Amino acid sequence: MHFASDNTAPVSPEILAAIAEANTAQVSSYGADHLTQRLTDRFREVFETDLAVYPVSTGSAANALALACLVHPYGAVICADEAHISTDECGAPEFFTGGAKLLTLPSPDGRITPMQIEVAVARALDGGVHHVLPEAVSITQSTEWGTVYNTTDIGSIGEACRRRGLPLHMDGARFANALVHEGCTPAELTWKAGVDVLSFGATKNGALAAEAVIFFNPALAAGFERRRKRAGHLWSKMRFLSVQLHAFLENDLWLANATHANAHAARLAEGLAALPGVRLVQRVQANEVFVAMPEALIEKLEAEGAVFYRWIELPGESNPIIRLVTSYATTADQVERLLSVAAQSITP
Amino acid sequence: MHFASDNTAPVSPEILAAIAEANTAQVSSYGADHLTQRLTDRFREVFETDLAVYPVSTGSAANALALACLVHPYGAVICADEAHISTDECGAPEFFTGGAKLLTLPSPDGRITPMQIEVAVARALDGGVHHVLPEAVSITQSTEWGTVYNTTDIGSIGEACRRRGLPLHMDGARFANALVHEGCTPAELTWKAGVDVLSFGATKNGALAAEAVIFFNPALAAGFERRRKRAGHLWSKMRFLSVQLHAFLENDLWLANATHANAHAARLAEGLAALPGVRLVQRVQANEVFVAMPEALIEKLEAEGAVFYRWIELPGESNPIIRLVTSYATTADQVERLLSVAAQSITP
Amino acid sequence: MHFASDNTAPVSPEILAAIAEANTAQVSSYGADHLTQRLTDRFREVFETDLAVYPVSTGSAANALALACLVHPYGAVICADEAHISTDECGAPEFFTGGAKLLTLPSPDGRITPMQIEVAVARALDGGVHHVLPEAVSITQSTEWGTVYNTTDIGSIGEACRRRGLPLHMDGARFANALVHEGCTPAELTWKAGVDVLSFGATKNGALAAEAVIFFNPALAAGFERRRKRAGHLWSKMRFLSVQLHAFLENDLWLANATHANAHAARLAEGLAALPGVRLVQRVQANEVFVAMPEALIEKLEAEGAVFYRWIELPGESNPIIRLVTSYATTADQVERLLSVAAQSITP
Amino acid sequence: MHFASDNTAPVSPEILAAIAEANTAQVSSYGADHLTQRLTDRFREVFETDLAVYPVSTGSAANALALACLVHPYGAVICADEAHISTDECGAPEFFTGGAKLLTLPSPDGRITPMQIEVAVARALDGGVHHVLPEAVSITQSTEWGTVYNTTDIGSIGEACRRRGLPLHMDGARFANALVHEGCTPAELTWKAGVDVLSFGATKNGALAAEAVIFFNPALAAGFERRRKRAGHLWSKMRFLSVQLHAFLENDLWLANATHANAHAARLAEGLAALPGVRLVQRVQANEVFVAMPEALIEKLEAEGAVFYRWIELPGESNPIIRLVTSYATTADQVERLLSVAAQSITP
């Protein structure tokens, strides 16, 4: 019953196999190999547009390198106050950008709005040179609260960005989970709605350690390669990053993995919501379930071996909140066992 | 005939097998796993001392993170002018340290001397607050010219460092190659001679993407973990970094791989040196051969499919210089074929 | 009727005279002069303790250099969300610290509380290496809302800091205004209450361009001098900074100037508060008056030549808010004229 | 006999008078004042072209802010190995640029050549993403060895820069001294010869603390104002910086001061060169005299009260070298006294 995070899952067998298959005799290093070079074509097919793609090994690296291309050290990135880039990357965006600020917006469900962005920009500009200059907006898909921006949400944010001349970054650590929830195309959920740069996540959804930074406007990527090298994120044996991403896309493995994870989250949510005294505090749209329950029930679950994190408090909710995350490797058995333990703990 | 670099080699089968074996069901992320935690014990055995060890995926990350723990932004690192950290990491040390300077020393064979260090420190201190403060010394083992510091060399540098209160860092991207050349213990070539921090290389010697930063004085590692996270170098599925290093050390794989590489470099050197008009411009002590030869011969080798880099010029050598690198995957066949092509090209 | 800021005032004649007097023949540069060297003694007298003092020319430089000595790049400074360091220095703390974060706390009157600090620290530590490490607390005296921390306030914050091992920084751009309001000694309002580092402001209170960074624990100042030099803040003709501070302290000029400014602010506040439809939105404890009034009145004042800034909105206040700042150079005439215009505008 | 530096001189009376004159009642802060705004026009007249000008208080700030506008953190600035930005600013360029590198070129007389620049660029580009990207060239006028680039020198460097698309920065801490030596116009010595950005020095030549960053191509200045603010270099009482520069230019004060300094340096040089055992090691073209002499003579001069610095060694010169700097405040008396002491010390 391991629901702590989707990054505790193993590597998808298909991805491991691809690594083994790529382990051939001498191959040019630092990305000058055939496997890396065909990656761009593969992503162009998936996203139905021209783009530039750069593999890196972690999501923090992907986000921070992307943002460093978008803002100056005297600039700012607008994002939600619970955004991963703000609370869980130990200041990576500040490090990679040379000290730019994150202007954080409160959000009850992890999503920010065009109006919030507009107000933040206006106030920042009002401060003149005394204030950092908003130069980008970053949204997370799916959000830190497990919710999903639909194409209309993104479209209106994209429009607000364009009005202010701000590029729009999407932290897509769980992009696949959002995509299969929306049931639209990758293009519709990104560049067609106004996303300029995407941190395309794979590690949480089956890869060993692989993410891709995708620039739908390749001009924004100027300097990316030197920034990546200088951050120690250019692999000499780059092909082993590239093939993870290939295998991830091959036969829609990424979509299958995300569909699996989402389905188990939905089942968890449904089962927990049916229990008295238990409340879903957010809509479950991807692979994360945020649920408030009595302390005694939480301790019972832990005692029975369930693993998960306690989350921050929410206004108006007196019970503690836990987060349950599913992954491609979550089994129906684990889900049912947790639900059964919970049900037994509650009924007298 | 691929002699461009040791990082074009594939992954040692034993290391790939270890990755596959570690691919089990849910495992705690970010290093809170058994495989990562036993790594410290393993390195303590190998180096016969207490130490702290942190896996990362590239050598530039290892070096830059290590140096960032040693110097302030207003500090300086003393190193050779051809040091990898100075010329081949796109400013990674400057980035990770927040803008510290590298004070570079000329070196005919890649090695720097205690006297050079002393003079550089004295001159820097003479500048008072107008000059950056020397706070660390970094040496490369084996050096960028394929030579090796022996234990006496390092001991005297270590002593110069201690006199000035400077920690000594070793960029050991090819540490194993130097070690098997010297035939001493890892302890003798590092902390016993005064090395405080070692970037322990594995990628060039058989790993997929794995290096370890080893602090022989764990107190110097304060802040390392947050620096690593913030640089995007903390893997969520950390075990897959850790097992590479385990397998690397297991059954002395690392030493076997380095011995193999060095032997082929020695054979290359011997064979080339015997040819008229060809001159080894450095002693061949590890797995790199720097050799001056007529342009026509270089072009002939290239035409026959040999792959290698041309190197910088050396005073007093009119012919161009090429670098040939061997690895654990170099075959006797490749070596003999290159020697044969060279011999045929020269003899009329 | 110029109430835009205290930094629009001229230089106190005594300070200008001191500059002229110091303009003698060749004097050693970069602070190796008698005038600079006796500055420490002078500040030790005023603050009744051992300390280290460093003159710089702006408040942003003072704050940012101070904070850079207190936190690592992976660290964080806890402060109020409207703190000058957060909203009005264009990211100077992030720049000087190498990308540390400001963890901002909401505050209705500009003051933060020990409990808020404790909660922020606990949450940050809970995030482990994924979160930046709180390493300092910064408070502003007087605050951005013109209020003043009394010695009890600071004492309890100081205690919260000590419990967590965090140094306490005070942005004292208007320290003199707070001091004369409290009527205590400089020592009581700083180190005796737990302040470790003070940005001692003079420019807003009569200097040309001079602030002093005062370390009550000189050990915290390690590296300050190189940081100052490297930031371009070490004046070659340092004596001209030093004498401004000397003259500022001489004959209690700083206290006289602040008393003057505060008195005029009090008179403004009293007069405005007596008008119907006008409301002081903060207690007036120093030289700033925040007052809500009907838009028509604001426009009338502007039309009559009054100069001031409109401020951010406050919850529960429907009228717009303006800020009026007095200085040592404000005249009773200006104050009475503004009050008179306001009174006439309101009464039919 | 104070020849340690030109920054030990007092402030020109005209400049002090201008400060006093500007000390009028409330004036808008942060540069929104009439005195600052007419500064641009004044500099446009002097340099006979459109330009953007930004006052700051130190030369290190001027240089570092200028360079930060020209290069990315992954970039590099090409300069002489003894350039002030490299050896005497405690890493200010690295700090302000976010860790860019200085690629330093050896120079026997402080001047670098177009050929050296071309070679450095070619080698850097040859390193691809592994090497920092050359993005600017910086020259010093007059140089650290007291020599002067003439318009032909600069023109050929400017051409080399244009060929590679690199902006050319001039550290003109002693620009006036070079200008009066060359006898050409400010335009001819800068933008007409290819200089894009000039750190225009005043402090060493009579100001209290004032330099100006001049962009002949104002498009390069994007972001300068926020960088200056964020570095703590935006004065609230900006007019006191601006009037220093006004007075400096008024009635050609700057040229008169520099002419005076140069003349005394020439006299010193002439007098010393005539002594047996004394050798000028550089041409004296501005206000610095570098002279090799026996240790005994140096000590004699010191014993008689002469103040100066000992300098770095030069190949082929066995005697120690000292540097003597003259300023607008140097008197003929001081010069003659030093020459007389020297002459007496040598003749038996």
Side-chain angles (χ1 to χ4, degrees), chain B residues 111-128:
Chain B
R111 298 181 306 163
I112 57 175
T113 68
M115 178 59 80
Q116 285 182 297
I117 294 169
E118 180 53 34
V119 169
V121 172
R123 186 179 170 196
L125 295 180
D126 197 46

Short mmCIF file of all heavy atoms in Angstrom, two decimals, chain B residues 111-128:
data_model
loop_
_atom_site.label_atom_id
_atom_site.label_comp_id
_atom_site.label_asym_id
_atom_site.label_seq_id
_atom_site.Cartn_x
_atom_site.Cartn_y
_atom_site.Cartn_z
N ARG B 111 50.17 18.85 -14.58
CA ARG B 111 50.30 18.85 -13.12
C ARG B 111 50.75 20.22 -12.62
O ARG B 111 51.54 20.89 -13.26
CB ARG B 111 51.33 17.79 -12.69
CG ARG B 111 50.90 16.36 -13.08
CD ARG B 111 51.91 15.33 -12.63
NE ARG B 111 53.24 15.66 -13.12
CZ ARG B 111 54.37 15.16 -12.65
NH1 ARG B 111 54.32 14.28 -11.66
NH2 ARG B 111 55.52 15.53 -13.15
N ILE B 112 50.23 20.63 -11.48
CA ILE B 112 50.69 21.88 -10.88
C ILE B 112 51.55 21.55 -9.67
O ILE B 112 51.55 20.42 -9.18
CB ILE B 112 49.51 22.80 -10.49
CG1 ILE B 112 48.56 22.07 -9.51
CG2 ILE B 112 48.76 23.26 -11.72
CD1 ILE B 112 47.43 22.97 -8.97
N THR B 113 52.31 22.55 -9.21
CA THR B 113 53.28 22.28 -8.15
C THR B 113 52.96 23.09 -6.90
O THR B 113 52.30 24.13 -6.95
CB THR B 113 54.70 22.69 -8.61
OG1 THR B 113 54.74 24.12 -8.73
CG2 THR B 113 55.06 22.04 -9.94
N PRO B 114 53.46 22.61 -5.76
CA PRO B 114 53.25 23.34 -4.50
C PRO B 114 53.78 24.76 -4.59
O PRO B 114 53.17 25.69 -4.07
CB PRO B 114 54.06 22.52 -3.49
CG PRO B 114 54.15 21.15 -4.07
CD PRO B 114 54.17 21.32 -5.55
N MET B 115 54.89 24.95 -5.27
CA MET B 115 55.46 26.30 -5.37
C MET B 115 54.53 27.22 -6.15
O MET B 115 54.32 28.38 -5.77
CB MET B 115 56.83 26.22 -6.07
CG MET B 115 57.49 27.56 -6.28
SD MET B 115 57.75 28.44 -4.69
CE MET B 115 59.25 27.60 -4.13
N GLN B 116 53.97 26.73 -7.23
CA GLN B 116 53.00 27.55 -7.99
C GLN B 116 51.82 27.95 -7.13
O GLN B 116 51.33 29.08 -7.19
CB GLN B 116 52.46 26.75 -9.20
CG GLN B 116 53.41 26.60 -10.36
CD GLN B 116 52.73 25.83 -11.49
OE1 GLN B 116 52.38 24.67 -11.33
NE2 GLN B 116 52.54 26.49 -12.63
N ILE B 117 51.35 27.00 -6.34
CA ILE B 117 50.21 27.29 -5.47
C ILE B 117 50.58 28.39 -4.48
O ILE B 117 49.85 29.36 -4.27
CB ILE B 117 49.77 26.00 -4.73
CG1 ILE B 117 49.22 25.00 -5.73
CG2 ILE B 117 48.75 26.32 -3.65
CD1 ILE B 117 49.01 23.60 -5.17
N GLU B 118 51.74 28.24 -3.90
CA GLU B 118 52.20 29.20 -2.90
C GLU B 118 52.29 30.61 -3.50
O GLU B 118 51.85 31.59 -2.90
CB GLU B 118 53.55 28.76 -2.32
CG GLU B 118 54.13 29.69 -1.28
CD GLU B 118 53.17 30.00 -0.14
OE1 GLU B 118 52.39 29.10 0.24
OE2 GLU B 118 53.19 31.14 0.36
N VAL B 119 52.85 30.71 -4.68
CA VAL B 119 52.99 32.01 -5.32
C VAL B 119 51.63 32.61 -5.64
O VAL B 119 51.37 33.80 -5.41
CB VAL B 119 53.84 31.89 -6.61
CG1 VAL B 119 53.79 33.17 -7.43
CG2 VAL B 119 55.28 31.54 -6.25
N ALA B 120 50.71 31.78 -6.12
CA ALA B 120 49.37 32.28 -6.47
C ALA B 120 48.65 32.78 -5.23
O ALA B 120 47.98 33.82 -5.26
CB ALA B 120 48.57 31.18 -7.15
N VAL B 121 48.76 32.03 -4.14
CA VAL B 121 48.10 32.46 -2.90
C VAL B 121 48.70 33.77 -2.41
O VAL B 121 47.97 34.71 -2.05
CB VAL B 121 48.23 31.37 -1.81
CG1 VAL B 121 47.73 31.89 -0.47
CG2 VAL B 121 47.47 30.12 -2.22
N ALA B 122 50.02 33.83 -2.42
CA ALA B 122 50.68 35.04 -1.91
C ALA B 122 50.27 36.26 -2.73
O ALA B 122 49.95 37.31 -2.17
CB ALA B 122 52.20 34.85 -1.93
N ARG B 123 50.26 36.11 -4.02
CA ARG B 123 49.88 37.26 -4.85
C ARG B 123 48.43 37.67 -4.61
O ARG B 123 48.10 38.84 -4.51
CB ARG B 123 50.09 36.97 -6.34
CG ARG B 123 49.82 38.22 -7.14
CD ARG B 123 49.99 38.14 -8.62
NE ARG B 123 49.44 39.38 -9.19
CZ ARG B 123 49.13 39.57 -10.45
NH1 ARG B 123 49.35 38.61 -11.34
NH2 ARG B 123 48.62 40.72 -10.86
N ALA B 124 47.55 36.67 -4.48
CA ALA B 124 46.14 36.99 -4.26
C ALA B 124 45.96 37.71 -2.94
O ALA B 124 45.25 38.71 -2.85
CB ALA B 124 45.31 35.71 -4.30
N LEU B 125 46.59 37.21 -1.90
CA LEU B 125 46.44 37.83 -0.59
C LEU B 125 47.02 39.24 -0.59
O LEU B 125 46.52 40.13 0.10
CB LEU B 125 47.10 36.98 0.50
CG LEU B 125 46.45 35.60 0.71
CD1 LEU B 125 47.19 34.84 1.80
CD2 LEU B 125 44.98 35.75 1.07
N ASP B 126 48.05 39.42 -1.38
CA ASP B 126 48.67 40.73 -1.48
C ASP B 126 47.67 41.77 -2.00
O ASP B 126 47.78 42.96 -1.70
CB ASP B 126 49.86 40.63 -2.45
CG ASP B 126 50.79 41.81 -2.30
OD1 ASP B 126 51.12 42.16 -1.16
OD2 ASP B 126 51.17 42.40 -3.33
N GLY B 127 46.69 41.33 -2.76
CA GLY B 127 45.69 42.25 -3.30
C GLY B 127 44.61 42.63 -2.30
O GLY B 127 43.76 43.48 -2.60
N GLY B 128 44.63 42.02 -1.13
CA GLY B 128 43.65 42.36 -0.11
C GLY B 128 42.23 42.17 -0.61
O GLY B 128 41.97 41.25 -1.39
#
